[in-house]
């Protein structure tokens, strides 16, 4: 079967430390106010989170009333959908999908119309409204352009007026490394691998533990799976 | 029929100079936006379409009236509407051109506009919309050109053909513009099959209202005199499309409010009287809905220009309110509404960079560009109208052979 990169996130292991989000910001030199990856506060029994939007009060605030409190985390970045709505609406094919499942943006083609912002059900895109502001006066992270098929899919300093989002650390995975959020997760909550290979760790985990996609009923076919905290055949370590 | 009085010219030049100045200010604001990026607008990652887009959709709708009035007159031989044919086609051309111009300041990279021609994605409603806008603009400009030729040299059969094609073109234009919103599975408030018919009807509604307003202005300032049958035809068109428009919106309300599905209800709560956008609903339903409808159908009020023009203005405000609500409410609530929400994409020292529910307020830059483009539209109308007026008075003047 064709290679299809994917990720599984175990919400039972996630401690909501934001290390993935911070590492993502660093490796990709994301400006202040831009988060490709973030950790949302949710409930353990959330059935396919987002099915019933719960506008909880704030980050890290548990649901319920003392002492019956509950809390879980849902890291969220681009889901690298098989049939990505953002790719369908992009008028200039700036958003495209590689055969290995990675949905990428060509920074040199995007016209900045933001129809993809309206289309993405996961709200994971972010726009370069202005020249990026940084906390430090030096560049951090990968630090150079990355092209795939001559298309600029990563550049440390993004042009003003184009859309961007998680690239799945395409420059790393093409060189046999894991995406940064997977590599740094201190809880080991993330597994990256080939969904096309039924014997891979990721495929096995999803099958064995009941991995769920976000807003699966929309039929976008995300490449990211979640293992909810409350799940029938949870394996305790 | 139309009977012209002597128009006063001097006042017009003052108005035109003021309009040109406003248009230049708008152009300056756009340059400012180009230099500093779209961060100078109120748009951010959550509500990433604002004033430009809802005004774009509004101008697309305004362009309908003209062509539909003109085509109805030609195709169905509604003689009462005939005097409005040329004004209608001219309004259509200008409104659709200005609608397209509203897209430019909304684009992050207007310098890459040609990518739309070089790398089009035919699955994207944006590409459909740009195609139909170009076609519609070309059709209305050609039709206007043909109608402006002296009567003895008019190419009647082509005018008739264009008028017939104008109706499906108008339907396509409004349906496709509606689908930019309506097909988005990520926006429950937009994702409705009713969106396209609703846009078509509301386009006829505010388009005919705009024509009524222009006709009244011409009657007041340019010495035109339209017969009461023309006014009655316009009033009928407005009242009928207003009724159908409100009915469609009402159907949406019933479907959602009866279902009480959370993801559908969240945007609707914003539109309820106690919601954040309750005022817009009131403007849409009362100020621009029931109010003008009563004015238009009351036997005492029918065919009285004052009532019709008042209704037209109220309707134009109501449809604009609907358009603001549609864009803002649709985008304010992401499907995954968990704290801390979505990052803004910009940074202000001391303020949160996350938003759970989208906030949007236009900035002076957006208002300046809005005023500039509206002034530009009126200015173009006045200039073309004046050139055309000269031509009308002297039909036998030496025109280059067409």
């Amino acid at each position: 079967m064709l290679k299809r990169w994917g990720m599984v996130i175990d919400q039972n292991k996630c401690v909501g430390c934001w290390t993935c989000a911070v590492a993502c910001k660093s490796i990709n030199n994301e400006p202040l106010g831009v988060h490709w990856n973030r950790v949302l506060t949710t409930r353990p029994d959330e059935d396919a989170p987002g099915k019933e939007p719960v506008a909880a009060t704030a980050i890290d605030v548990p649901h319920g009333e003392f002492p019956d409190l509950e809390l879980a985390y849902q890291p969220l970045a681009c889901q690298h959908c098989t049939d990505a709505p953002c790719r369908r609406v992009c008028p200039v094919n700036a958003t495209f999908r590689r055969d290995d499942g990675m949905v990428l943006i060509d920074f040199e083609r995007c016209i900045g119309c933001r129809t993809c912002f309206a289309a993405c059900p996961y709200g994971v895109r972010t726009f370069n409204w202005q020249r990026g502001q940084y906390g430090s006066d030096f560049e951090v992270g990968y630090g150079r352009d990355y092209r795939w098929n001559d298309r600029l899919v990563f550049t440390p300093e993004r042009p003003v007026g184009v859309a961007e989002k998680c690239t799945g650390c395409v420059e790393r995975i093409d060189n046999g490394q894991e995406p940064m959020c997977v590599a740094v997760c201190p809880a080991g909550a993330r597994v990256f691998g080939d969904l096309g290979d039924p014997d891979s760790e990721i495929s096995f985990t999803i099958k064995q533990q009941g991995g769920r996609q976000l807003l699966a009923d929309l039929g976008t076919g995300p490449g990211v799976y979640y293992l909810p905290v409350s799940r029938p055949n949870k394996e305790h370590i | 029929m139309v009977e012209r009085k002597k128009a006063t010219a001097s006042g017009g030049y003052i108005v035109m100079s003021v309009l040109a100045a406003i248009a230049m200010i708008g152009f300056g604001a756009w340059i400012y936006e180009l230099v500093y990026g779209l961060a100078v607008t109120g748009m951010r990652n959550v509500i990433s379409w604002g004033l430009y887009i809802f005004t774009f959709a509004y101008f697309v709708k305004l362009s309908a009236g003209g062509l539909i009035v003109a085509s109805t007159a030609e195709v169905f031989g509604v003689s009462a509407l005939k005097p409005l044919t040329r004004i209608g086609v001219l309004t259509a051309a200008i409104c659709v051109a200005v609608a397209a111009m509203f897209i430019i300041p909304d684009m992050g990279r207007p310098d890459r506009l040609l990518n739309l021609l070089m790398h089009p994605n035919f699955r994207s409603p944006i590409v459909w919309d740009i195609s139909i806008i170009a076609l519609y603009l070309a059709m209305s400009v050609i039709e206007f050109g043909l109608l402006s030729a002296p009567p003895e040299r008019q190419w009647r059969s082509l005018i008739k053909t264009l008028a017939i094609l104008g109706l499906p073109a108008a339907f396509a234009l409004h349906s496709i513009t509606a689908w930019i919103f309506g097909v988005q599975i990520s926006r429950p408030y937009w994702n409705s099959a009713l969106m396209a018919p609703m846009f078509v009807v509301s386009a006829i509604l505010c388009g005919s209202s705009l024509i009524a307003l222009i006709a009244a202005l011409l009657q007041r300032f340019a010495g035109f005199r339209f017969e009461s049958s023309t006014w009655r035809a316009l009033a009928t068109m407005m009242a009928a499309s207003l009724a159908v428009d409100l009915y469609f919106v009402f159907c949406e309300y019933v479907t959602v409010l009866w279902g009480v599905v959370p993801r559908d209800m969240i945007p609707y709560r914003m539109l309820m009287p106690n919601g954040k956008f309750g005022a817009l609903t009131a403007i849409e339903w009362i100020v621009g809905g029931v109010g003008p409808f009563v004015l238009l159908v009351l036997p005492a009020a029918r065919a009285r220009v004052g009532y019709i023009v008042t209704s037209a203005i109220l309707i134009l405000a109501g449809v604009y309110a609907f358009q603001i609500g549609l864009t803002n409410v649709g985008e304010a609530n992401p499907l995954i509404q968990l704290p801390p929400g979505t990052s803004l994409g910009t940074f202000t020292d001391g303020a949160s960079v996350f938003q759970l529910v989208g906030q949007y307020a236009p900035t002076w830059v957006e208002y300046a560009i809005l005023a500039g483009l509206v002034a530009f539209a009126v200015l173009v109308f006045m200039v073309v109208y004046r050139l055309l007026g000269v031509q009308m008075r002297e039909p036998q003047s030496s025109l280059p052979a067409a």
Side-chain angles (χ1 to χ4, degrees), chain A residues 70-149:
Chain A
E70 44 182 24
L71 176 72
Y73 293 105
Q74 181 190 303
L76 185 68
C78 177
Q79 304 291 300
H80 294 279
C81 305
T82 307
D83 187 5
C86 59
R87 175 174 154 241
R88 268 203 255 173
V89 298
C90 180
V92 295
N93 287 308
T95 296
F96 64 101
R97 183 176 181 269
R98 298 202 313 192
D99 288 340
D100 64 359
M102 306 316 290
V103 176
L104 301 169
I105 301 168
D106 183 341
F107 290 118
E108 290 170 330
R109 169 120 22 125
C110 173
I111 59 170
C113 69
R114 303 187 300 293
T115 316
C116 50
F117 284 69
C120 175
Y122 308 98
V124 297
R125 286 180 164 246
T126 165
F127 193 70
N128 287 286
W129 300 99
Q130 59 192 10
R131 181 194 266 281
Q133 296 180 54
Y134 293 92
S136 59
D137 55 5
F138 50 89
E139 249 171 39
V140 293
Y142 186 71
R144 52 200 182 276
D145 289 358
Y146 186 75
R147 283 177 187 275
W148 182 79
N149 261 6

Side-chain angles (χ1 to χ4, degrees), chain B residues 49-61:
Chain B
W49 277 346
L51 185 101
Y52 301 141
I53 293 297
F54 55 70
T55 314
F56 151 76
Y58 187 67
F59 266 79
V60 166
K61 285 183 175 182

Side-chain angles (χ1 to χ4, degrees), chain B residues 45 54 57 63 93 129 135 145 165 218 258 288 308 360 363 383 385 399:
Chain B
N45 286 348
F54 55 70
S63 77
D129 208 38
L135 181 73
L165 291 176
L218 290 178
W258 192 88
I308 295 173
Y360 169 74
T363 60
V383 169
Y385 176 80
L399 279 163

Side-chain angles (χ1 to χ4, degrees), chain A residues 38 54 89 109-110 114 118, chain B residues 48 106 112 115 124 186 337 341:
Chain A
R38 55 200 205 272
V54 192
V89 298
R109 169 120 22 125
C110 173
R114 303 187 300 293
Chain B
S48 63
D106 187 68
R112 296 181 182 170
N115 281 4
S124 169
S186 57
Q337 211 168 23

Side-chain angles (χ1 to χ4, degrees), chain A residues 209-224:
Chain A
Q209 309 238 10
R212 285 193 288 210
Q213 295 162 309
L214 286 189
L215 306 170
D217 56 335
L218 294 180
T220 52
V224 177

Side-chain angles (χ1 to χ4, degrees), chain B residues 340-351:
Chain B
T342 309
S343 70
L344 288 174
T346 56
F347 178 74
T348 314
D349 208 1

Side-chain angles (χ1 to χ4, degrees), chain B residues 15-27 372 375 379:
Chain B
V15 174
M16 281 158 73
S17 314
V18 172
L19 290 173
I22 298 172
M24 286 315 292
I25 293 169
F27 187 73
L379 183 65

Side-chain angles (χ1 to χ4, degrees), chain B residues 42-316:
Chain B
M43 299 182 280
R44 290 299 181 266
N45 286 348
V46 191
I47 299 186
S48 63
W49 277 346
L51 185 101
Y52 301 141
I53 293 297
F54 55 70
T55 314
F56 151 76
Y58 187 67
F59 266 79
V60 166
K61 285 183 175 182
L62 288 181
S63 77
L67 210 65
I68 289 175
V69 165
S71 290
T72 311
E74 280 292 333
V75 179
F76 302 110
V78 181
S79 57
L81 290 175
K82 279 251 167 83
L84 295 168
T85 310
R86 261 203 318 171
I87 295 159
V89 177
L90 176 61
T91 313
I94 292 171
C95 286
V96 80
V98 171
M101 288 169 77
F102 267 103
I103 295 295
I104 308 295
D106 187 68
M107 287 173 69
R109 295 301 299 250
D111 56 314
R112 296 181 182 170
L113 195 65
L114 286 181
N115 281 4
L116 288 164
L117 297 178
M118 293 191 298
H119 313 284
N121 170 14
F122 291 105
R123 287 205 294 176
S124 169
I126 301 287
V127 169
W128 311 341
D129 208 38
I130 282 157
S131 313
I132 190 73
I133 284 174
L135 181 73
Y136 191 84
L137 178 61
M139 278 176 62
S140 39
V141 168
I142 294 170
E143 192 175 344
F144 181 71
L146 292 173
L147 284 167
S148 298
E152 65 275 9
R153 285 229 292 269
Q154 273 189 8
W155 197 348
R156 290 304 310 167
S157 62
L158 188 55
I159 291 175
K160 182 99 180 172
T161 312
L162 280 172
I164 292 170
L165 291 176
L167 289 174
F171 268 67
L173 175 67
H174 304 298
S175 303
I176 292 171
T177 307
W179 287 330
I180 291 177
F181 304 97
V183 299
Q184 307 300 353
I185 53 171
S186 57
R187 308 286 162 183
Y189 182 51
W190 294 349
N191 196 211
S192 160
L194 255 184
M195 197 59 83
M198 215 151 72
F199 261 59
V200 171
V201 171
S202 119
I204 299 172
L205 170 63
C206 66
S208 51
S209 301
L210 179 67
I211 296 297
L213 183 61
I214 291 172
L217 288 173
L218 290 178
Q219 195 158 289
R220 175 85 180 70
F221 295 107
F224 262 100
R225 182 106 255 136
F226 295 102
E227 293 205 349
S228 63
S229 62
T230 302
W231 287 111
R232 222 174 295 124
L234 272 177
T236 310
M237 217 165 144
M238 286 159 68
S241 52
L242 179 55
V244 178
D245 185 52
L246 291 180
Y247 167 70
F248 279 172
V249 183
F250 184 71
C251 290
E252 287 274 26
Y253 275 72
V254 171
T255 310
V256 170
L257 298 183
W258 192 88
V260 218
V261 176
R263 76 163 67 145
D264 294 333
M265 279 303 288
I266 286 183
Y268 274 82
R269 275 199 198 101
M270 284 188 153
L271 293 162
M272 291 295 111
N274 52 353
K276 197 179 157 197
F277 293 97
L280 291 180
T281 315
I283 295 174
E284 187 196 344
W285 277 94
I286 300 161
V287 179
V290 180
F293 186 75
V294 172
L295 282 185
L296 288 169
V297 296
L298 273 184
R302 288 190 71 180
R304 280 178 58 183
V305 180
Y307 284 86
I308 295 173
V309 174
T310 311
S311 307
I313 293 168
L314 294 178
I315 286 170
L316 288 170

